[in-house]
Amino acid sequence: MFNSLSDRLTATFKNLRGKGRLSEADVDATVREIRRALLEADVAVPVVREFTAVIKERALGSEVSEALNPGQQVVKIVNEELQNVLGGETRRINLAKTGPTVIMLAGLQGAGKTTLAGKLGKWLTDQGHKPVLVASDLQRPNAVTQLKVVGERAGVPVFAPEPGATSEFDDPTGDPVKVARDGVDFARSKLYDVVIVDTAGRLGIDQALMNQARDIRDAVDPDEVLFVIDAMIGQDAVNTAKAFDEGVDFTGVVLSKLDGDARGGAALSVRAVTGKPIMFASTGEGVRDFEQFHPDRMASRILDMGDVLTLIEQAERQWDKTEAERMAKKFTDQEDFTFEDFLAQMQQLRKMGSMKKMLAMMPGAAGMREQLENFDEREIDRVEAIVRSMTPHERVAPKIINGSRRARIARGSGVSVSEVNQLMERFAQAQKMMKRLAQGKGVPGMPGGIPGMGGGGGGAAKKGKAKKKGSRSGNPAKRAQEQAALASGQKPAAKGSAFGAQGQDLDAESLNLPKGFEKFLGK
């Protein structure tokens, strides 16, 4: 959604790197590029004007002029102001103190209200609530049927006493206001704690739409009225949001289709124009492609700083704790990493969703966007097929997989032998890395190893046997001197010293040397 905006802003900030001081011309040029980037992203003109004015004022102030790295300070300012435009802080659902919490969905037809009702119901279920969906959209053909299907996929019950219109030639039957009111009564009697009312939309703003939405709002007295807006409609989002705000006085915004390839100006405009917070975002077609909207995390994504917190939350929700504990014990016991473990870890990753989406949340993802676009999600299926074509013995003892076995595995998984060979090579490298980590030696090329586990990195290990053995010399005097220096926290003497003792005042008695060796130390 924000790819073009992110690319433009990242390119703009690159011009500020390495500058020890920013002139007014530098600030003007940067603000001008930010303005162009926002306008190209379909952000409303009043929002762009106010945003860039604040950026310029702060960039010319003392917080940038006195900073050690002015370029990074400007990025920090833009990040903070983006957060403010997007809402400043995360807004959560206001739950009713007594009785069921009523959430009413409003918006234009095609914005994705019905699908979003199921996603919101699934999200609330995962949060420990017991929601029910109410089908009050009796006008759009098959809207009630669609809500039933969505509810079944999400595992959320649907209250639908009226069938609604089944085709565009049918006249709507039933009273949507009565259905909404009866739905709340049904939830109260069956002890559901959240009611999600799906209302009708129109292709455009009209008085009939607003009147019906107001009547439903007055009938059910909702705790939240969520305005669902298509994040791809651009500048028109502002006019639509204003009309619904005046018509039904919504309390929060939900952005649908945030995974599209549009420019994303709606997200940056709606909050600033209406003053109502963005509460949720729909990020895909799956029932789980739904997340709470965090302004700080979205600002980080736009500036290509990643969204590691959301990634961690997804992992915590989906990761099997029993499997994680098993792997941790295996790691601690320094047992071999097998294809069975590899398969289990792949299945855990698949539970988290699309690999592309997860990788896109990593800092600097914009720099590898082309690779991400070319990444084939089916590659994971092929790898899993290869592993499942192995016998149980082959998975735990991959060294026995010779040429004939590889040919059999290739035939069984429908891939070429070269693909099997590539997987075997990658797996062997993963095994070596896991073994090094378990031994506390760190990842090759990274100094210092793992904190608290001892050992050094792979780079230090390549500097010779002397490093591995604590630089022990074959000369007794030199070895003793080195041990004494290490024990006292001093640096060992340079190689140019005959016995490593030149330029140091050493106590011969403390070295515990053989009798007669004092003369070699100048004593």
Side-chain angles (χ1 to χ4, degrees), residues 370-383:
E370 186 177 347
Q371 294 93 317
L372 286 176
E373 291 299 325
N374 294 329
F375 177 74
D376 186 0
E377 297 274 1
R378 293 173 298 179
E379 179 65 24
I380 300 174
D381 296 330
R382 284 191 284 269
V383 170

Side-chain angles (χ1 to χ4, degrees), residues 315 318-325 348 351:
Q318 303 299 331
W319 210 256
D320 187 342
K321 292 183 179 179
T322 305
E323 175 62 24
E325 289 171 0
Q348 294 290 326
K351 287 181 184 177

Side-chain angles (χ1 to χ4, degrees), residues 259-334:
D259 57 321
D261 56 0
R263 291 169 287 187
L268 298 174
S269 303
V270 172
R271 168 63 178 81
V273 170
T274 65
K276 304 298 174 65
I278 302 172
M279 295 176 61
F280 296 100
S282 175
T283 58
E285 296 180 3
V287 74
R288 290 186 179 276
D289 295 330
F290 181 81
E291 60 188 47
Q292 194 154 37
F293 189 87
H294 300 277
D296 54 341
R297 302 183 191 180
M298 185 56 67
S300 293
R301 290 191 203 182
I302 293 172
L303 296 179
D304 195 28
M305 296 177 183
D307 187 1
V308 179
L309 285 176
T310 299
L311 198 58
I312 292 171
E313 286 177 358
Q314 287 183 3
E316 287 177 343
R317 284 197 301 268
Q318 303 299 331
W319 210 256
D320 187 342
K321 292 183 179 179
T322 305
E323 175 62 24
E325 289 171 0
R326 185 187 73 81
M327 281 301 300
K329 186 177 185 304
K330 192 164 189 176
F331 185 81
T332 306
D333 295 342
Q334 298 187 24

Side-chain angles (χ1 to χ4, degrees), residues 8-258:
R8 286 293 301 269
L9 292 178
T10 303
T12 300
F13 296 140
K14 278 182 182 177
N15 299 328
L16 301 178
R17 288 180 185 171
K19 292 193 176 184
R21 181 179 175 278
L22 295 184
S23 65
E24 188 170 347
D26 292 328
V27 173
D28 286 340
T30 301
V31 171
R32 188 163 54 249
E33 287 301 316
I34 293 174
R35 183 184 297 113
R36 286 176 181 169
L38 293 173
L39 290 173
E40 286 182 5
D42 259 349
V43 180
V45 175
V47 179
V48 175
R49 190 179 295 120
E50 183 179 349
F51 180 79
T52 51
V54 174
I55 296 294
K56 184 173 181 178
E57 181 182 351
R58 292 186 61 183
L60 291 174
S62 59
E63 61 180 311
V64 172
S65 61
E66 296 175 4
L68 292 175
N69 192 323
Q72 288 185 2
Q73 194 66 26
V74 171
V75 176
K76 178 175 178 289
I77 290 171
V78 174
N79 185 35
E80 291 173 355
E81 293 305 321
L82 269 177
Q83 291 180 37
N84 292 334
V85 168
L86 292 168
E89 58 184 22
T90 304
R91 162 75 154 77
R92 305 186 185 278
I93 292 177
N94 289 325
L95 299 173
K97 293 181 180 178
T98 57
T101 299
V102 180
I103 301 173
M104 173 181 164
L105 302 182
L108 291 179
Q109 186 173 314
K113 291 191 304 298
T114 303
T115 304
L116 194 134
K119 292 181 178 182
L120 179 57
K122 177 62 177 173
W123 184 85
L124 287 165
T125 302
D126 293 341
Q127 300 293 315
H129 294 282
K130 189 180 177 184
V132 60
L133 309 181
V134 177
S136 289
D137 183 359
L138 307 179
Q139 178 177 316
R140 182 169 61 87
N142 289 316
V144 175
T145 304
Q146 182 189 355
L147 188 65
K148 288 179 179 178
V149 172
V150 169
E152 185 178 355
R153 265 173 41 195
V156 180
V158 178
F159 178 78
E162 298 287 347
T166 56
S167 73
E168 59 182 335
F169 304 106
D170 291 347
D171 292 327
T173 59
D175 181 3
V177 179
K178 184 178 184 300
V179 170
R181 189 187 298 112
D182 292 347
V184 175
D185 293 337
F186 171 79
R188 189 176 289 111
S189 64
K190 298 296 182 181
L191 301 180
Y192 291 103
D193 66 342
V194 181
V195 183
I196 302 172
V197 182
D198 180 30
T199 64
R202 296 287 194 282
L203 294 176
I205 304 294
D206 61 20
Q207 196 57 44
L209 167 66
M210 289 305 168
N211 289 340
Q212 186 183 104
R214 271 196 299 268
D215 291 343
I216 293 176
R217 183 197 61 189
D218 295 340
V220 301
D221 189 21
D223 299 280
E224 297 280 8
V225 179
L226 300 184
F227 171 52
V228 182
I229 187 168
D230 186 341
M232 302 175 70
I233 65 175
Q235 287 277 352
D236 197 43
V238 176
N239 298 327
T240 306
K242 282 182 177 178
F244 270 92
D245 192 26
E246 294 169 0
V248 296
D249 189 25
F250 59 82
T251 59
V253 178
V254 181
L255 294 173
S256 65
K257 307 176 188 177
L258 203 62

